[in-house]
Amino acid sequence: MRIIFLNSMEKKTGEQMPIGAQVWIGEDEGVWRMGWNELSADEEGETLWYEGESWSELLHVYRHRLAVKLGEGFRPAIDGIFHEREEGKGKAILAQKLVFYSELNPNETLFTELSAWRRRRAVAERKAPYLIASNRLLRLISVFQPRTREELLQLPGVGESKSAEYGEELLELTQQGERSFIFPLNWVEGTLDEEEFRSWLYKQKEVKYRVEMEKFGLRRVMLEAIAEGSDVEEMCRRTGLDRRETVELLEDLEKDGYELESLLITELREVPEAEQTAIWQAYEELGDTLLKPVLQRVYGAELPLDSNVEKMYEQLRLIRIRFRRQGSGVRSAG
């Protein structure tokens, strides 16, 4: 076997001798292998992380398993081991440190109030709560308790649009109680242990890479189902995803150039031709980036209470797949 990549790792363990390790990738007659050798004073243990013919799959497994080890405290002899651009400095790294600080210093009382507010808004706007605000953003707001719009905008995840739409209501909730610090929040960096922060960062990568690894496997299942002529419902059964997640994954496949027209014909056969035409024209006039304006253009700003909004959005996504593939040309008949 030819070893094509090798990096040494080390984990400090207090006063004891550091634990050494090596991560390696090798190739033998078209078969890729990847493993982890952990060295101690007494023995050497090797774990095979991957064996197969797919370099892409190997890379997904590599990133996830390595992030786990880095989160445990191992550090590489050579940086850049994720084969991607590492986090930079400035605003991006400060944003991560604010998130880390908020997780170390939770304000559960205010977080609970903000979560209740989010549920009310989600019901009123008939959208998923995470589209109003993520748990991470609510955690940041609960911990740093911004008092003004200017302070609110300093939190990562808050832009002008979100601030304009929800800022007044959020600030009403954050005015309660005392606050022992001031904005701007540059002081946060000086309160954190850098090594603990690095381990936390790697654990965030672990979550990210696990999702990517699982998504890679789901893509493979989806492509097999498409080749067999399966519909969305069958894809949901095979993958364990709900319909929205499945259709979003189909959108990703379209971006990568996979042919989905046969599936679209099957899924859209019950959508009236006039309705499909109206959606297509709305995309031509409004663009295909945002779905809500297209939904309102086609179905009206005020939908009946018994409307199946999720189904409407699914149809918009499916037609958007076709629209993006064909541009503003002639639409294929369903």
Side-chain angles (χ1 to χ4, degrees):
M1 180 175 66
R2 294 185 304 130
I3 299 296
I4 66 167
F5 172 79
L6 178 69
N7 200 347
S8 297
M9 314 283 288
E10 187 176 271
K11 178 181 179 181
K12 294 182 180 179
T13 56
E15 296 180 358
Q16 302 176 14
M17 289 291 292
I19 299 174
Q22 292 178 330
V23 58
W24 55 267
I25 298 174
E27 184 271 339
D28 184 18
E29 296 183 354
V31 176
W32 294 102
R33 292 183 178 85
M34 173 179 58
W36 172 265
N37 291 342
E38 194 159 316
L39 316 171
S40 67
D42 302 323
E43 59 182 351
E44 174 180 343
E46 180 172 276
T47 303
L48 189 65
W49 281 358
Y50 178 83
E51 183 174 24
E53 299 179 357
S54 172
W55 171 257
S56 295
E57 187 173 16
L58 176 146
L59 201 54
H60 281 82
V61 175
Y62 166 81
R63 286 172 172 166
H64 173 249
R65 297 296 293 270
L66 192 58
V68 173
K69 292 299 181 182
L70 292 168
E72 293 174 357
F74 282 95
R75 295 294 178 260
I78 302 174
D79 289 329
I81 54 177
F82 285 115
H83 297 285
E84 65 175 20
R85 184 173 61 85
E86 299 290 323
E87 284 86 357
K89 298 181 180 180
K91 290 185 177 180
I93 203 69
L94 175 59
Q96 295 278 19
K97 289 185 175 181
L98 293 180
V99 173
F100 180 46
Y101 181 93
S102 72
E103 292 185 6
L104 292 176
N105 303 275
N107 182 339
E108 295 298 345
T109 300
L110 184 51
F111 179 77
T112 299
E113 293 178 10
L114 289 166
S115 298
W117 164 82
R118 180 177 60 180
R119 286 194 297 273
R120 294 193 297 271
R121 286 305 306 246
V123 171
E125 297 183 25
R126 303 172 69 183
K127 62 171 61 171
Y130 73 88
L131 295 176
I132 305 291
S134 66
N135 284 341
R136 175 167 286 187
L137 177 56
L138 294 188
R139 183 75 63 191
L140 283 164
I141 295 172
S142 69
V143 169
F144 293 110
Q145 303 175 59
R147 305 297 205 210
T148 66
R149 282 278 299 278
E150 291 72 20
E151 291 181 352
L152 182 63
L153 285 166
Q154 292 180 45
L155 298 182
V158 180
E160 291 289 349
S161 176
K162 192 176 293 291
S163 174
E165 190 168 6
Y166 304 122
E168 184 176 344
E169 295 176 37
L170 289 170
L171 292 174
E172 285 181 8
L173 293 171
T174 60
Q175 301 299 322
Q176 310 299 324
E178 297 183 0
R179 193 179 73 181
S180 59
F181 49 78
I182 61 173
F183 282 71
L185 301 172
N186 297 11
W187 54 266
V188 167
E189 293 190 83
T191 70
L192 302 177
D193 181 280
E194 282 299 321
E195 193 57 33
E196 289 182 4
F197 173 64
R198 285 188 69 189
S199 292
W200 177 85
L201 270 182
Y202 288 130
K203 288 177 181 177
Q204 307 310 299
K205 281 183 175 289
E206 175 191 341
V207 174
K208 171 189 171 184
Y209 292 141
R210 183 178 69 247
V211 170
E212 291 181 356
M213 184 175 64
E214 292 172 350
K215 190 173 182 179
F216 183 87
L218 290 173
R219 283 168 62 96
R220 186 168 52 192
V221 173
M222 292 273 286
L223 290 171
E224 291 172 356
I226 291 170
E228 295 170 11
S230 302
D231 59 12
V232 170
E233 195 62 35
E234 172 62 15
M235 292 175 186
C236 292
R237 188 190 68 78
R238 293 193 188 187
T239 62
L241 301 175
D242 60 29
R243 291 188 67 92
R244 177 182 178 132
E245 293 169 326
T246 300
V247 173
E248 287 176 346
L249 189 49
L250 287 172
E251 289 190 287
D252 289 341
L253 292 176
E254 182 278 327
K255 292 176 184 176
D256 291 340
Y258 290 98
E259 177 56 53
L260 305 176
E261 185 58 30
S262 296
L263 174 64
L264 297 178
I265 291 173
T266 299
E267 292 297 325
L268 294 170
R269 61 174 175 257
E270 296 182 2
V271 182
E273 184 69 19
E275 188 173 337
Q276 293 192 45
T277 299
I279 294 171
W280 189 277
Q281 291 175 345
Y283 280 134
E284 290 181 326
E285 296 173 13
L286 304 174
D288 61 13
T289 303
L290 301 176
L291 291 175
K292 187 174 181 179
V294 175
L295 180 79
Q296 293 177 336
R297 171 66 63 87
V298 175
Y299 300 105
E302 299 295 331
L303 298 174
L305 293 177
D306 60 349
S307 299
N308 189 340
V309 179
E310 281 297 317
K311 186 65 175 178
M312 291 177 177
Y313 272 115
E314 178 180 310
Q315 293 171 358
L316 293 183
R317 290 181 184 280
L318 290 170
I319 292 175
R320 182 166 68 176
I321 291 173
R322 179 182 284 165
F323 180 84
R324 286 175 169 174
R325 175 57 57 87
Q326 300 181 22
S328 58
V330 178
R331 180 168 57 86
S332 297

